[in-house]
Amino acid sequence: MNRLSAEEIEFAARSLIEASETSLGIEVTTPVVYPNGTCVTVVVEQHGPDFVVHDGSFGAMYLAAEGIDLSKSLSARLSNAVGRYGCDMTGGRVTRRAGADDVSMAIALVANASRLVGDQAQEMRRQSESEFRIVVTEKLRGFVGDRLRENQEFKGKSGRHYRVANVILDPSQTKPMAFVMAITGRHAIPAAFSEMFDLKQALPAVANDSVYPDDSGVRAEDANLLNEVGRAFAYSKAAEEFSRFAQAAE
C-alpha cells in the first residue's frame, strides 16, 4: 500500500486551486463546488492597498440557468444568508472587501457564499416538487375519494421494493387498479421509468399514470418513453384523465 505524507497530501490539495489574470481581474478556481459539479470561481480585484473579492455573479447565473429568477424576496433572503459568511450581495454579486493579509480567507468565504446561492436551486426545486406532489394527490382524491391510498409499498419483478405515492384501489377496495406518479421534471424521468417498468412486470393489471407540470420542460420524447409503461400527461389534462378512475366505480 502506498502511503502519502502530509506534504504530498497538502500539495495535492493545493493543486485544486488555480489563478489566472483575465479582463475581470485575477480569477481563482476553488475546490468549492456548485450542485452541478462545476467548481466555484471567484475574482480578486485590487483597489489601492485593499482588495475586492467577488464571484462575478456566477452564483446568481447558476440560479438563472436553473430557471430561477432572482426576485426581490429571494435577493433579500440570500443577502441575509451570505452575510453569515461576512459577505455582501448586491445586484446578484457576492462580494467581500479584504486587506492583503486577508485575501485568502476572503476567497474561501466568497466561494462558499456563492455556492450557498447556487444551493438555493436544489432547495427551491425540493419545495416545488413537494408542492406539486401534494397538488396531484389532492386532485386525485377529488375523483376517487377514500379509494386513494398514499405511500404504499409494492415489490417489483426485480424484487426491489417501491413506496408508491398514490395508489388507487378498485371499487371494492381490495386491490390496486392504478399507480399515479407526479413527475416534477425531466431529471425525474429515468428513475420514474425504471420504477414503473419494474412494477408493471410484477403487476401487469395495474395501470401506471404519470403526470407532470405543463411548464416542466418535459418533451414529447420524454412522454413517449413514459407511455411505454403507462400513460403520461400534463397536469392541465389531469381532470380528464383522472375522471376515468371515478367512472370505474360506477
Side-chain angles (χ1 to χ4, degrees):
M1 178 183 296
N2 292 329
R3 294 183 61 86
L4 295 176
S5 66
E7 292 77 11
E8 289 172 321
I9 292 175
E10 180 179 349
F11 178 81
R14 286 182 175 179
S15 68
L16 297 173
I17 301 173
E18 296 181 356
S20 59
E21 290 198 43
T22 70
S23 58
L24 295 177
I26 298 177
E27 291 192 21
V28 182
T29 301
T30 75
V32 181
V33 180
Y34 289 120
N36 66 352
T38 302
C39 289
V40 177
T41 297
V42 302
V43 180
V44 180
E45 297 180 8
Q46 186 163 4
H47 294 269
D50 295 324
F51 297 83
V52 173
V53 181
H54 62 83
D55 73 340
S57 299
F58 295 136
M61 290 164 59
Y62 177 83
L63 289 183
E66 292 291 310
I68 298 174
D69 294 326
L70 200 61
S71 63
K72 186 176 181 180
S73 60
L74 178 57
S75 295
R77 189 162 75 247
L78 289 174
S79 292
N80 290 332
V82 302
R84 302 188 194 110
Y85 289 92
C87 299
D88 298 314
M89 187 171 182
T90 305
R93 174 174 288 188
V94 178
T95 63
R96 180 182 171 91
R97 290 188 171 273
D101 295 337
D102 300 322
V103 170
S104 59
M105 180 58 70
I107 290 171
L109 291 170
V110 170
N112 280 279
S114 185
R115 187 217 57 214
L116 181 148
V117 173
D119 284 346
Q120 293 301 304
Q122 285 189 319
E123 179 60 30
M124 295 182 72
R125 174 178 288 174
R126 281 193 292 269
Q127 292 176 4
S128 63
E129 289 178 353
S130 177
E131 290 169 358
F132 181 66
R133 292 190 184 100
I134 292 172
V135 167
V136 170
T137 296
E138 293 310 309
K139 183 83 167 182
L140 190 57
R141 195 188 310 279
F143 285 91
V144 301
D146 59 4
R147 291 166 53 212
L148 177 65
R149 299 291 185 272
E150 298 181 54
N151 299 316
Q152 298 292 297
E153 190 174 88
F154 292 87
K155 185 169 70 173
K157 184 179 180 181
S158 68
R160 184 176 180 182
H161 289 79
Y162 302 92
R163 192 162 291 280
V164 181
N166 302 292
V167 180
I168 302 173
L169 300 180
D170 69 344
S172 66
Q173 299 190 28
T174 58
K175 60 183 179 180
M177 65 175 291
F179 299 143
V180 179
M181 183 177 296
I183 307 294
T184 52
R186 299 194 73 209
H187 65 282
I189 289 175
F193 176 85
S194 176
E195 177 177 336
M196 288 189 289
F197 178 85
D198 199 15
L199 289 172
K200 194 70 174 177
Q201 297 297 304
L203 302 163
V206 179
N208 279 324
D209 275 21
S210 50
V211 54
Y212 51 87
D214 291 74
D215 60 352
S216 63
V218 171
R219 301 173 182 173
E221 58 266 33
D222 302 323
N224 289 338
L225 179 63
L226 293 172
N227 283 330
E228 293 293 322
V229 290
R231 296 164 64 99
F233 47 88
Y235 182 75
S236 58
K237 297 182 179 179
E240 175 186 345
E241 294 289 343
F242 291 166
S243 65
R244 77 183 194 276
F245 299 127
Q247 294 168 1
E250 297 175 356

